[in-house]
C-alpha cells in the first residue's frame, strides 16, 4: 500500500481557524496518557496543571505577568513570519534588551530621574533591534540563512550576559552570586498591589497588540508584507523588495523582544541574572503560530502558553513532577500544530496497486 502527498487545491479557511483548537485537544489527550503512564491520575494532574494555578488572585496575577512577554514577543515575530522572515533568535534579542535596559538603570547619572523608565524602554528596544540587525544585514546583503544566524546569536547573547553578571557588573554586596545590584526605585515598575508581582509593564504589551493589529491588518505596508510571504513573485512584480521585508520583519521582532527583556528587568526581577528568561523567546514562536499570526489570536495563544509555564511550576511544587514537563507540553503542542497545518495544505492520496 503506497501513498502520495498532494497539495490541496484550496486550503480550508475553517480548518485554519480550527487547527489550533484541535492541536490543544490532542495535546491534552497525549498529556493525559503521559500522566497515566507515570502513575498519576490524569484528571487530577490536569486539574493541578491547568485549573488550580488560576484559583487564586496571586495565580491570576502570575498568569498575566507571564503571558505579557510571550504576547509582546510573539506580536513582533509575527510581523516577520507573515513575510517568511524566520526570526528564531528572540531569546537572544530579549537578553540584549535586558542588558541594555539594566545598564541604563544602573549607570544613569540621575538614578531618581522620572525619565529613567522611558529611557530604559528605549534602550531595550534599540538593543533588541541592533541584535536583530546583524542577521537582517547578512540576509539582505549576503543571502545568509536568518534562522541559523538568529539562533546562534542567542548563544552569543547568553554568554555576554554570563560574562557581565560574573564579572564587571556583578554586585559586590551580592555574596558572590552572579547577579547585578538591584535597580533603583525610579527604574522599576511599581506593582499594582505589593502583595502580587503584576505591574504596569503589561500596558506595553497592550500597545504592542494594538500596533501589530494596526500594521498587519490595516496598513498598506502590512499588506505588502503578507503578499511577500504568500506570493514572493507577485510582491517582486509589484515593486516590493525582499530586503525591505527582511529588515522590517527582523527589526520588529528585535524591538518587541528587547522591550520584553526590559520589562522583565524593571518588573518582577529588578536585576540581571543568568536566569533572566525561562525561555520566553522560544515559546513565543509557538504562541505566534498558535494565534495564526493574528494579533488577537496571539493574545489567546499567549494566555495558554503562560498557563503551561504556571502549571509546570504548580505540579513541580505540589506533586513533585519535574518542571521539564512544561517543555514537553510545549513540544507536543508544537508538533500537533505543525501536523494540523500540514493536513490543511496537503493530503495523502492512496496510489493504485498497479501504479
Amino acid at each position: 500500500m503506497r501513498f502520495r502527498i498532494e497539495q490541496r487545491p484550496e486550503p480550508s479557511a475553517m480548518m485554519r481557524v480550527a487547527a489550533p483548537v484541535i492541536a490543544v485537544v490532542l495535546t491534552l489527550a497525549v498529556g493525559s496518557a503521559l500522566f497515566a503512564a507515570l502513575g498519576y491520575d490524569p484528571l487530577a494532574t490536569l486539574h493541578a496543571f491547568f485549573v488550580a494555578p488560576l484559583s487564586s488572585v496571586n495565580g491570576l496575577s502570575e498568569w498575566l505577568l507571564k503571558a505579557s512577554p510571550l504576547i509582546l514577543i510573539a506580536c513582533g515575530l509575527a510581523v516577520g513570519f507573515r513575510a517568511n522572515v524566520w526570526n528564531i533568535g528572540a531569546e537572544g534579542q530579549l537578553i540584549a534588551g535586558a542588558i541594555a535596559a539594566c545598564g541604563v538603570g544602573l549607570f544613569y547619572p540621575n538614578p531618581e530621574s522620572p525619565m529613567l523608565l522611558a529611557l530604559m524602554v528605549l534602550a531595550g528596544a534599540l538593543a533588541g533591534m541592533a541584535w536583530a540587525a546583524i542577521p537582517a544585514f547578512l540576509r539582505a546583503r549576503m543571502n545568509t540563512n536568518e534562522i541559523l544566524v538568529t539562533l546562534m546569536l542567542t548563544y552569543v547573547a547568553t554568554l555576554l550576559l554570563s560574562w557581565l553578571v560574573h564579572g564587571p557588573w556583578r554586585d559586590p554586596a551580592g555574596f558572590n552570586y552572579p547577579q547585578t545590584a538591584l535597580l533603583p526605585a525610579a527604574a522599576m515598575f511599581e506593582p499594582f498591589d505589593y502583595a502580587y508581582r503584576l505591574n504596569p509593564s503589561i500596558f506595553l504589551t497592550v500597545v504592542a497588540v494594538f500596533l501589530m493589529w494596526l500594521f498587519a491588518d490595516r496598513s498598506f505596508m502590512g499588506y505588502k508584507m503578507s503578499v511577500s510571504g504568500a506570493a514572493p513573485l507577485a510582491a517582486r512584480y509589484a515593486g516590493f523588495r525582499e530586503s525591505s521585508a527582511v529588515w522590517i520583519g527582523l527589526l520588529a521582532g528585535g524591538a518587541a523582544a528587547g522591550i520584553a527583556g526590559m520589562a522583565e528587568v524593571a518588573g518582577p526581577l529588578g536585576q540581571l541574572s543568568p536566569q533572566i528568561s525561562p525561555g520566553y523567546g522560544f515559546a513565543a514562536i509557538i504562541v505566534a503560530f498558535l494565534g495564526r499570526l493574528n494579533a488577537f489570536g496571539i493574545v489567546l495563544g499567549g494566555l495558554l502558553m503562560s498557563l503551561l509555564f504556571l502549571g509546570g511550576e504548580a505540579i513541580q511544587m505540589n506533586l513533585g513532577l519535574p518542571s521539564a514537563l512544561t517543555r514537553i507540553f510545549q513540544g507536543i503542542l508544537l508538533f500537533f500544530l505543525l501536523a494540523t497545518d500540514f493536513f490543511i495544505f496537503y493530503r495523502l492520496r492512496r496510489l493504485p496497486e498497479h501504479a
Side-chain angles (χ1 to χ4, degrees), residues 199-216:
N199 60 72
S201 67
I202 62 170
F203 295 125
L204 296 173
T205 299
V206 173
V207 172
V209 171
F210 175 73
L211 290 178
M212 192 265 172
W213 169 78
L214 199 65
F215 177 83

Side-chain angles (χ1 to χ4, degrees), residues 11-157:
S12 169
M14 184 178 70
M15 283 303 298
R16 284 181 60 83
V17 176
V21 178
I22 295 172
V24 170
V25 171
L26 291 174
T27 299
L28 293 177
V30 172
S32 299
L34 176 62
F35 289 136
L38 293 173
Y40 292 87
D41 179 2
L43 291 180
T45 310
L46 287 176
H47 182 275
F49 203 110
F50 294 103
V51 179
L54 304 182
S55 59
S56 66
V57 176
N58 182 63
L60 292 171
S61 168
E62 289 295 311
W63 181 41
L64 295 177
L65 186 70
K66 294 180 185 298
S68 181
L70 290 167
I71 295 169
L72 174 56
I73 298 169
C75 282
L77 294 178
V79 172
F81 290 167
R82 281 173 167 244
N84 288 339
V85 177
W86 305 109
N87 182 358
I88 311 300
E91 186 78 359
Q93 293 146 26
L94 180 152
I95 292 172
I99 290 173
C102 188
V104 171
L106 288 175
F107 304 116
Y108 190 69
N110 181 7
E112 298 180 0
S113 170
M115 294 296 296
L116 191 52
L117 266 179
L119 291 173
M120 290 172 64
V121 171
L122 181 61
L126 290 177
M129 292 172 70
W131 211 250
I134 300 171
F137 174 81
L138 293 174
R139 165 70 190 274
R141 289 298 182 91
M142 304 176 189
N143 200 31
T144 57
N145 188 313
E146 74 275 14
I147 296 175
L148 294 176
V149 178
T150 53
L151 184 59
M152 292 301 101
L153 281 172
T154 295
Y155 298 105
V156 176

Side-chain angles (χ1 to χ4, degrees), residues 283 286 305 308-309 325-334:
I286 304 176
M305 190 61 65
L308 290 182
F309 278 105
L325 279 172
T326 299
R327 299 293 178 88
I328 293 174
F329 265 98
Q330 289 177 8
I332 294 171
L333 179 59
L334 179 59

Side-chain angles (χ1 to χ4, degrees), residues 94-95 97-103 105-106 120 180 183 187-189 259-273 276:
L94 180 152
I95 292 172
I99 290 173
C102 188
L106 288 175
M120 290 172 64
T180 65
L183 291 169
M188 296 281 293
F189 288 109
I259 293 173
M262 175 271 166
E264 288 298 294
V265 167
L269 300 179
Q271 60 186 164
L272 269 184
S273 71
I276 190 70

